[in-house]
PDB file of all heavy atoms in Angstrom:
ATOM      1  N   PRO A 108      22.484   6.996   7.969  1.00  0.00           N
ATOM      2  CA  PRO A 108      22.321   5.589   7.570  1.00  0.00           C
ATOM      3  C   PRO A 108      21.012   5.416   6.809  1.00  0.00           C
ATOM      4  O   PRO A 108      19.960   5.881   7.250  1.00  0.00           O
ATOM      5  CB  PRO A 108      22.298   4.843   8.902  1.00  0.00           C
ATOM      6  CG  PRO A 108      21.781   5.854   9.885  1.00  0.00           C
ATOM      7  CD  PRO A 108      22.251   7.202   9.409  1.00  0.00           C
ATOM      8  N   ILE A 109      21.064   4.745   5.662  1.00  0.00           N
ATOM      9  CA  ILE A 109      19.874   4.492   4.850  1.00  0.00           C
ATOM     10  C   ILE A 109      19.509   3.018   4.989  1.00  0.00           C
ATOM     11  O   ILE A 109      20.341   2.138   4.769  1.00  0.00           O
ATOM     12  CB  ILE A 109      20.128   4.840   3.368  1.00  0.00           C
ATOM     13  CG1 ILE A 109      20.595   6.291   3.230  1.00  0.00           C
ATOM     14  CG2 ILE A 109      18.856   4.604   2.555  1.00  0.00           C
ATOM     15  CD1 ILE A 109      19.595   7.326   3.671  1.00  0.00           C
ATOM     16  N   HIS A 110      18.257   2.760   5.346  1.00  0.00           N
ATOM     17  CA  HIS A 110      17.828   1.380   5.598  1.00  0.00           C
ATOM     18  C   HIS A 110      17.187   0.737   4.365  1.00  0.00           C
ATOM     19  O   HIS A 110      17.332  -0.467   4.156  1.00  0.00           O
ATOM     20  CB  HIS A 110      16.842   1.360   6.764  1.00  0.00           C
ATOM     21  CG  HIS A 110      17.379   2.007   8.008  1.00  0.00           C
ATOM     22  ND1 HIS A 110      16.960   3.239   8.467  1.00  0.00           N
ATOM     23  CD2 HIS A 110      18.342   1.605   8.866  1.00  0.00           C
ATOM     24  CE1 HIS A 110      17.615   3.554   9.562  1.00  0.00           C
ATOM     25  NE2 HIS A 110      18.460   2.584   9.829  1.00  0.00           N
ATOM     26  N   TYR A 111      16.464   1.519   3.584  1.00  0.00           N
ATOM     27  CA  TYR A 111      15.776   0.981   2.407  1.00  0.00           C
ATOM     28  C   TYR A 111      15.845   1.995   1.268  1.00  0.00           C
ATOM     29  O   TYR A 111      16.128   3.181   1.479  1.00  0.00           O
ATOM     30  CB  TYR A 111      14.302   0.675   2.711  1.00  0.00           C
ATOM     31  CG  TYR A 111      14.096  -0.418   3.723  1.00  0.00           C
ATOM     32  CD1 TYR A 111      13.787  -0.103   5.042  1.00  0.00           C
ATOM     33  CD2 TYR A 111      14.194  -1.764   3.360  1.00  0.00           C
ATOM     34  CE1 TYR A 111      13.597  -1.107   5.981  1.00  0.00           C
ATOM     35  CE2 TYR A 111      14.006  -2.762   4.299  1.00  0.00           C
ATOM     36  CZ  TYR A 111      13.712  -2.432   5.606  1.00  0.00           C
ATOM     37  OH  TYR A 111      13.526  -3.423   6.526  1.00  0.00           O
ATOM     38  N   HIS A 112      15.559   1.509   0.074  1.00  0.00           N
ATOM     39  CA  HIS A 112      15.462   2.410  -1.071  1.00  0.00           C
ATOM     40  C   HIS A 112      14.266   2.000  -1.927  1.00  0.00           C
ATOM     41  O   HIS A 112      13.793   0.857  -1.878  1.00  0.00           O
ATOM     42  CB  HIS A 112      16.740   2.380  -1.920  1.00  0.00           C
ATOM     43  CG  HIS A 112      16.886   1.129  -2.744  1.00  0.00           C
ATOM     44  ND1 HIS A 112      17.472  -0.015  -2.253  1.00  0.00           N
ATOM     45  CD2 HIS A 112      16.512   0.838  -4.020  1.00  0.00           C
ATOM     46  CE1 HIS A 112      17.453  -0.952  -3.188  1.00  0.00           C
ATOM     47  NE2 HIS A 112      16.876  -0.469  -4.275  1.00  0.00           N
ATOM     48  N   ALA A 113      13.781   2.957  -2.710  1.00  0.00           N
ATOM     49  CA  ALA A 113      12.735   2.691  -3.702  1.00  0.00           C
ATOM     50  C   ALA A 113      12.966   3.643  -4.856  1.00  0.00           C
ATOM     51  O   ALA A 113      13.254   4.829  -4.653  1.00  0.00           O
ATOM     52  CB  ALA A 113      11.343   2.912  -3.098  1.00  0.00           C
ATOM     53  N   GLN A 114      12.886   3.118  -6.075  1.00  0.00           N
ATOM     54  CA  GLN A 114      13.178   3.971  -7.226  1.00  0.00           C
ATOM     55  C   GLN A 114      12.206   3.718  -8.369  1.00  0.00           C
ATOM     56  O   GLN A 114      11.676   2.615  -8.532  1.00  0.00           O
ATOM     57  CB  GLN A 114      14.608   3.761  -7.704  1.00  0.00           C
ATOM     58  CG  GLN A 114      14.925   2.369  -8.194  1.00  0.00           C
ATOM     59  CD  GLN A 114      16.312   2.272  -8.788  1.00  0.00           C
ATOM     60  OE1 GLN A 114      16.710   3.132  -9.562  1.00  0.00           O
ATOM     61  NE2 GLN A 114      17.052   1.250  -8.412  1.00  0.00           N
ATOM     62  N   VAL A 115      11.974   4.784  -9.130  1.00  0.00           N
ATOM     63  CA  VAL A 115      11.110   4.702 -10.309  1.00  0.00           C
ATOM     64  C   VAL A 115      11.762   5.469 -11.454  1.00  0.00           C
ATOM     65  O   VAL A 115      12.585   6.355 -11.240  1.00  0.00           O
ATOM     66  CB  VAL A 115       9.707   5.298 -10.050  1.00  0.00           C
ATOM     67  CG1 VAL A 115       8.954   4.509  -9.005  1.00  0.00           C
ATOM     68  CG2 VAL A 115       9.805   6.765  -9.649  1.00  0.00           C
ATOM     69  N   ASN A 116      11.359   5.117 -12.674  1.00  0.00           N
ATOM     70  CA  ASN A 116      11.750   5.920 -13.824  1.00  0.00           C
ATOM     71  C   ASN A 116      10.577   6.818 -14.201  1.00  0.00           C
ATOM     72  O   ASN A 116       9.570   6.890 -13.505  1.00  0.00           O
ATOM     73  CB  ASN A 116      12.208   5.039 -14.991  1.00  0.00           C
ATOM     74  CG  ASN A 116      11.107   4.093 -15.468  1.00  0.00           C
ATOM     75  OD1 ASN A 116       9.935   4.220 -15.109  1.00  0.00           O
ATOM     76  ND2 ASN A 116      11.480   3.133 -16.301  1.00  0.00           N
ATOM     77  N   PHE A 117      10.706   7.532 -15.310  1.00  0.00           N
ATOM     78  CA  PHE A 117       9.672   8.490 -15.700  1.00  0.00           C
ATOM     79  C   PHE A 117       8.307   7.822 -15.868  1.00  0.00           C
ATOM     80  O   PHE A 117       7.294   8.299 -15.345  1.00  0.00           O
ATOM     81  CB  PHE A 117      10.065   9.187 -17.002  1.00  0.00           C
ATOM     82  CG  PHE A 117      11.282  10.060 -16.898  1.00  0.00           C
ATOM     83  CD1 PHE A 117      11.956  10.458 -18.042  1.00  0.00           C
ATOM     84  CD2 PHE A 117      11.760  10.485 -15.673  1.00  0.00           C
ATOM     85  CE1 PHE A 117      13.083  11.267 -17.953  1.00  0.00           C
ATOM     86  CE2 PHE A 117      12.890  11.290 -15.572  1.00  0.00           C
ATOM     87  CZ  PHE A 117      13.547  11.686 -16.725  1.00  0.00           C
TER      88      PHE A 117
END
Side-chain angles (χ1 to χ4, degrees):
I109 304 297
H110 305 107
Y111 295 101
H112 74 273
Q114 62 174 315
V115 296
N116 60 13
F117 294 163

